[in-house]
Amino acid sequence: MNLIQENQRTLEHIFPSYQTIEGKAQVLKETEELFTQFKQQHFLYPIRYQLKKNTFHIKLKRDYSIAPSLEVTSINEVVPVWKYKLDQELMKLEKRTKKVFLSDFGGIADGKTDCTKAFKRAFSVGYRHVILSSGTYLTRGLKIPSNVILAGEGSAETCLKLHPKAPKSEQLLTNKSHFKGNHHIQIKGISLDWNVERLTKGETTATGGIASSGITLAHVKYARIVDVVVKNPGLHGVDITSPAYSYAGDGTRSRLGSQFIWVDQIEAFGFGDDGITTHHSKNILISNCYLHHPSGLAHQTGFSNSNGIEIDDGSEHISLVGNRTAYCFGGVEIKAHETSSAASDTQIFGHFSYRDNRSYNFRHIGHHKDQDLLSQSAYGIRASFLAAYYPQKTDLYKASEPRGIVVSAYQRVVVNQFIAREEPTTNHEKVAIAIQYRARDVRIVNSQLKNYYGAKQPIKISKDTSDIYII
């Protein structure tokens, strides 16, 4: 059974309405109507950061637009409306690339031969559909130019593995020109082994910035990653990003982000930080993925913010559909650091979180307390069919208490159809929902809390919040 079937079956079992086109469409409509009730309100505050002259950063638009809603197709898929544009571009890519076999360029799938130069010859200057047979290809990291399809025989058959002498900073797969940018790339049907065993046991697995990940797409337009397994990456399994993270202040983001990217049917585990993450990028679809059992080794022991899916600094118009996470710090975290813009206009449709510490965690760090500046970018979350099963303590972040959903600093948040399930115990400290730190305009409707009997306060709403509605 593939990831689409597994995730679909799980969500259908929990949410009967998820089974049919009509059921999905009705819940999507309800969510949109709730969101529309307050989306025209404005709670924006002046930018107080001085932006230095730097062509790498731009100020966000003042209208803080909300993208059109998701839609349900005739084959019971849920997609953002912009996906049709990406589909057309990927069809063009298929037509203009020439099929070649890596073996014709000296690539040997024996797990011993360094195939880095063979890949470079096969990619050439692009316009290549590079086909890999089954087996393991050893590389020192691959850089893919524009107009390239890289296709294996399936994630269970074809493997790319980092060379034992590759530096810790190496990305197993990335695009060729981070600052100039690339376009029209497709990666499918392979597994990626970052070969963490080459490092000294116990050392941190990442060197900082966007280095050390399994797949990094930086400043890429029009790409798809599908049917890929990422094993033990030093930092992220998949990072959709700009060439460098921008910390020029709330209200700014990098001008070199990626856009129109579809990440589909990805399994990642053993990641040092996050399974899939986005930074300073927009119009990204993440669907039918399974992110689980992070190592947390990119961070200090006991302080690892390792999330299954993290929608991070400066991200805009991100859609998450039919995904699953397990044993992470956060199942889905939508956030930003203090000196960056928060992720805005994120849509989640169907997610199953199993034994993550904080199943759903929405926050803008450094904009929480009375003495902090109010966030001007933490807004716009629409979510339907969220399940939080057995949130639990974790050694990843030892001081964090389990929660089903936490909203901090964000405004204009709608969650429709939320189920939190706990172990059948009488733990008085169990908390399913926490709305805190100046969160505003939050609607959580059609919620069910199971096995939270005996809890003193299963729903916690802080006094510094406003306009909170939970039923």
Side-chain angles (χ1 to χ4, degrees), residues 305 333 335-340 363-368 372 409:
N305 183 41
E333 182 165 87
K335 69 171 254 285
H337 296 88
E338 179 179 1
T339 55
S340 188
R363 60 185 180 137
H364 193 174
I365 298 168
H367 296 269
H368 290 166
D372 298 334

Side-chain angles (χ1 to χ4, degrees), residues 275-289:
I276 300 174
T277 186
T278 67
H279 299 84
H280 302 284
S281 298
K282 62 183 179 180
N283 296 328
I284 313 297
L285 170 60
I286 300 169
S287 61
N288 308 306
C289 297

Side-chain angles (χ1 to χ4, degrees), residues 181-200:
N182 291 104
H183 57 89
H184 294 88
I185 292 172
Q186 188 163 192
I187 301 165
K188 59 183 179 180
I190 57 177
S191 66
L192 304 177
D193 185 349
W194 196 75
N195 194 10
V196 71
E197 292 81 7
R198 74 189 193 281
L199 306 182
T200 303

Side-chain angles (χ1 to χ4, degrees), residues 93-106:
L93 175 62
E94 291 277 358
K95 291 177 180 178
R96 65 188 179 216
T97 51
K98 176 184 176 181
K99 288 187 177 181
V100 298
F101 294 87
L102 187 69
S103 56
D104 293 337
F105 298 87

